[in-house]
CSV table of all heavy atoms in Angstrom, one decimal:
chain,number,residue,atom,x,y,z
A,100,LEU,N,-7.3,6.0,6.1
A,100,LEU,CA,-6.3,5.3,6.9
A,100,LEU,C,-4.9,6.0,6.6
A,100,LEU,O,-4.5,6.1,5.5
A,100,LEU,CB,-6.2,3.9,6.5
A,100,LEU,CG,-5.0,3.1,7.1
A,100,LEU,CD1,-5.0,3.0,8.6
A,100,LEU,CD2,-5.0,1.6,6.5
A,101,PHE,N,-4.3,6.4,7.7
A,101,PHE,CA,-2.9,6.8,7.7
A,101,PHE,C,-2.1,5.8,8.4
A,101,PHE,O,-2.1,5.7,9.6
A,101,PHE,CB,-2.7,8.2,8.3
A,101,PHE,CG,-3.4,9.3,7.5
A,101,PHE,CD1,-4.8,9.5,7.8
A,101,PHE,CD2,-2.8,10.0,6.6
A,101,PHE,CE1,-5.5,10.5,7.0
A,101,PHE,CE2,-3.4,11.0,5.8
A,101,PHE,CZ,-4.8,11.2,6.1
A,102,TYR,N,-1.3,5.0,7.7
A,102,TYR,CA,-0.6,3.8,8.2
A,102,TYR,C,0.9,4.2,8.3
A,102,TYR,O,1.6,4.3,7.3
A,102,TYR,CB,-0.8,2.6,7.3
A,102,TYR,CG,-0.4,1.3,7.8
A,102,TYR,CD1,0.2,1.1,9.1
A,102,TYR,CD2,-0.5,0.2,7.0
A,102,TYR,CE1,0.6,-0.2,9.5
A,102,TYR,CE2,-0.1,-1.1,7.4
A,102,TYR,CZ,0.4,-1.2,8.7
A,102,TYR,OH,0.8,-2.5,9.1
A,103,CYS,N,1.3,4.5,9.5
A,103,CYS,CA,2.6,5.0,9.8
A,103,CYS,C,3.6,3.9,10.1
A,103,CYS,O,3.4,3.1,11.0
A,103,CYS,CB,2.6,6.0,11.0
A,103,CYS,SG,1.4,7.3,10.7
A,104,ASN,N,4.7,3.8,9.3
A,104,ASN,CA,5.8,2.9,9.5
A,104,ASN,C,7.1,3.5,9.2
A,104,ASN,O,7.2,4.6,8.5
A,104,ASN,CB,5.6,1.7,8.6
A,104,ASN,CG,4.5,0.8,9.0
A,104,ASN,OD1,4.6,0.1,10.0
A,104,ASN,ND2,3.4,0.8,8.3
A,105,ARG,N,8.2,2.9,9.6
A,105,ARG,CA,9.5,3.4,9.2
A,105,ARG,C,9.8,3.1,7.8
A,105,ARG,O,10.3,4.0,7.0
A,105,ARG,CB,10.6,2.8,10.1
A,105,ARG,CG,10.5,3.3,11.6
A,105,ARG,CD,11.8,3.1,12.3
A,105,ARG,NE,11.6,3.5,13.7
A,105,ARG,CZ,11.7,4.7,14.2
A,105,ARG,NH1,11.8,5.7,13.3
A,105,ARG,NH2,11.6,5.0,15.4
A,106,LYS,N,9.5,1.9,7.4
A,106,LYS,CA,9.8,1.4,6.0
A,106,LYS,C,8.5,0.7,5.4
A,106,LYS,O,7.7,0.1,6.2
A,106,LYS,CB,10.9,0.5,6.0
A,106,LYS,CG,12.2,1.1,6.5
A,106,LYS,CD,13.4,0.2,6.2
A,106,LYS,CE,14.7,0.9,6.6
A,106,LYS,NZ,15.1,2.0,5.8
A,107,ILE,N,8.4,0.8,4.1
A,107,ILE,CA,7.2,0.2,3.5
A,107,ILE,C,7.1,-1.3,3.7
A,107,ILE,O,6.0,-1.8,3.8
A,107,ILE,CB,7.2,0.5,1.9
A,107,ILE,CG1,5.9,0.2,1.3
A,107,ILE,CG2,8.3,-0.3,1.2
A,107,ILE,CD1,4.8,1.2,1.6
A,108,GLU,N,8.2,-2.0,3.9
A,108,GLU,CA,8.2,-3.5,4.2
A,108,GLU,C,7.4,-3.8,5.5
A,108,GLU,O,7.0,-5.0,5.6
A,108,GLU,CB,9.6,-4.1,4.2
A,108,GLU,CG,10.4,-3.9,3.0
A,108,GLU,CD,11.1,-2.5,2.9
A,108,GLU,OE1,11.5,-2.0,3.9
A,108,GLU,OE2,11.2,-2.0,1.8
A,109,GLU,N,7.3,-2.9,6.4
A,109,GLU,CA,6.6,-3.1,7.7
A,109,GLU,C,5.1,-3.1,7.6
A,109,GLU,O,4.4,-3.5,8.5
A,109,GLU,CB,7.1,-2.1,8.7
A,109,GLU,CG,8.6,-2.3,9.0
A,109,GLU,CD,9.2,-1.2,9.9
A,109,GLU,OE1,8.4,-0.3,10.3
A,109,GLU,OE2,10.4,-1.2,10.2
A,110,ALA,N,4.6,-2.6,6.5
A,110,ALA,CA,3.1,-2.4,6.3
A,110,ALA,C,2.5,-3.8,5.9
A,110,ALA,O,3.0,-4.5,5.1
A,110,ALA,CB,2.8,-1.4,5.3
A,111,LEU,N,1.4,-4.1,6.5
A,111,LEU,CA,0.6,-5.3,6.3
A,111,LEU,C,-0.5,-5.1,5.3
A,111,LEU,O,-1.1,-4.0,5.3
A,111,LEU,CB,0.0,-5.8,7.6
A,111,LEU,CG,0.9,-6.1,8.7
A,111,LEU,CD1,0.1,-6.4,10.0
A,111,LEU,CD2,1.9,-7.3,8.4
A,112,ASN,N,-0.7,-6.0,4.4
A,112,ASN,CA,-1.9,-6.1,3.5
A,112,ASN,C,-2.1,-4.9,2.7
A,112,ASN,O,-3.3,-4.4,2.5
A,112,ASN,CB,-3.2,-6.4,4.4
A,112,ASN,CG,-3.1,-7.7,5.1
A,112,ASN,OD1,-2.0,-8.2,5.4
A,112,ASN,ND2,-4.2,-8.3,5.4
A,113,ILE,N,-1.1,-4.3,2.2
A,113,ILE,CA,-1.2,-3.1,1.4
A,113,ILE,C,-2.1,-3.2,0.2
A,113,ILE,O,-3.0,-2.3,0.0
A,113,ILE,CB,0.2,-2.6,0.9
A,113,ILE,CG1,1.1,-2.2,2.0
A,113,ILE,CG2,0.1,-1.5,-0.2
A,113,ILE,CD1,2.6,-1.9,1.7
A,114,MET,N,-2.0,-4.2,-0.6
A,114,MET,CA,-2.8,-4.3,-1.8
A,114,MET,C,-4.3,-4.4,-1.4
A,114,MET,O,-5.1,-3.8,-2.1
A,114,MET,CB,-2.4,-5.5,-2.6
A,114,MET,CG,-1.0,-5.4,-3.2
A,114,MET,SD,-0.6,-3.8,-3.9
A,114,MET,CE,-1.6,-3.8,-5.3
A,115,GLU,N,-4.7,-5.2,-0.4
A,115,GLU,CA,-6.1,-5.3,-0.1
A,115,GLU,C,-6.6,-3.9,0.5
A,115,GLU,O,-7.7,-3.5,0.2
A,115,GLU,CB,-6.3,-6.4,1.0
A,115,GLU,CG,-7.8,-6.6,1.2
A,115,GLU,CD,-8.1,-7.8,1.9
A,115,GLU,OE1,-7.2,-8.7,2.2
A,115,GLU,OE2,-9.3,-8.0,2.3
A,116,LEU,N,-5.8,-3.2,1.3
A,116,LEU,CA,-6.2,-1.9,1.8
A,116,LEU,C,-6.4,-0.9,0.7
A,116,LEU,O,-7.4,-0.2,0.7
A,116,LEU,CB,-5.1,-1.4,2.8
A,116,LEU,CG,-5.0,-2.2,4.1
A,116,LEU,CD1,-3.8,-1.8,4.9
A,116,LEU,CD2,-6.3,-2.0,4.9
A,117,LYS,N,-5.5,-0.9,-0.3
A,117,LYS,CA,-5.7,0.0,-1.5
A,117,LYS,C,-7.0,-0.4,-2.2
A,117,LYS,O,-7.7,0.5,-2.7
A,117,LYS,CB,-4.5,-0.1,-2.4
A,117,LYS,CG,-3.3,0.6,-1.9
A,117,LYS,CD,-2.2,0.5,-2.9
A,117,LYS,CE,-1.0,1.3,-2.4
A,117,LYS,NZ,0.1,1.3,-3.4
A,118,LYS,N,-7.3,-1.7,-2.3
A,118,LYS,CA,-8.5,-2.1,-3.0
A,118,LYS,C,-9.7,-1.6,-2.3
A,118,LYS,O,-10.7,-1.2,-2.9
A,118,LYS,CB,-8.5,-3.6,-3.1
A,118,LYS,CG,-9.5,-4.2,-4.0
A,118,LYS,CD,-9.2,-5.7,-4.2
A,118,LYS,CE,-10.4,-6.5,-4.2
A,118,LYS,NZ,-10.2,-7.9,-4.2
A,119,ILE,N,-9.7,-1.7,-1.0
A,119,ILE,CA,-10.9,-1.3,-0.2
A,119,ILE,C,-11.0,0.2,-0.1
A,119,ILE,O,-12.1,0.8,-0.3
A,119,ILE,CB,-10.8,-1.9,1.3
A,119,ILE,CG1,-10.9,-3.4,1.2
A,119,ILE,CG2,-11.9,-1.4,2.1
A,119,ILE,CD1,-10.5,-4.1,2.5
A,120,LEU,N,-9.9,0.9,0.3
A,120,LEU,CA,-10.0,2.3,0.6
A,120,LEU,C,-9.7,3.2,-0.6
A,120,LEU,O,-9.9,4.4,-0.6
A,120,LEU,CB,-9.0,2.6,1.7
A,120,LEU,CG,-9.4,2.0,3.1
A,120,LEU,CD1,-8.2,2.1,4.0
A,120,LEU,CD2,-10.5,2.8,3.7
A,121,LYS,N,-9.0,2.7,-1.6
A,121,LYS,CA,-8.7,3.4,-2.8
A,121,LYS,C,-7.8,4.6,-2.5
A,121,LYS,O,-6.8,4.4,-1.8
A,121,LYS,CB,-9.9,3.8,-3.6
A,121,LYS,CG,-10.7,2.6,-4.1
A,121,LYS,CD,-12.0,3.0,-4.7
A,121,LYS,CE,-12.8,1.9,-5.2
A,121,LYS,NZ,-13.0,0.7,-4.3
A,122,ASN,N,-8.1,5.8,-2.8
A,122,ASN,CA,-7.3,7.0,-2.6
A,122,ASN,C,-7.4,7.5,-1.2
A,122,ASN,O,-7.0,8.6,-0.9
A,122,ASN,CB,-7.6,8.1,-3.6
A,122,ASN,CG,-9.0,8.6,-3.5
A,122,ASN,OD1,-9.9,8.0,-2.9
A,122,ASN,ND2,-9.2,9.8,-4.1
Side-chain angles (χ1 to χ4, degrees):
L100 171 63
F101 294 86
Y102 191 3
C103 305
N104 286 288
R105 294 199 182 280
K106 299 191 175 291
I107 193 73
E108 300 84 33
E109 297 172 358
L111 302 172
N112 299 27
I113 292 174
M114 296 314 292
E115 186 166 356
L116 292 168
K117 283 183 178 183
K118 190 169 139 187
I119 296 168
L120 292 165
K121 300 175 180 44
N122 64 343

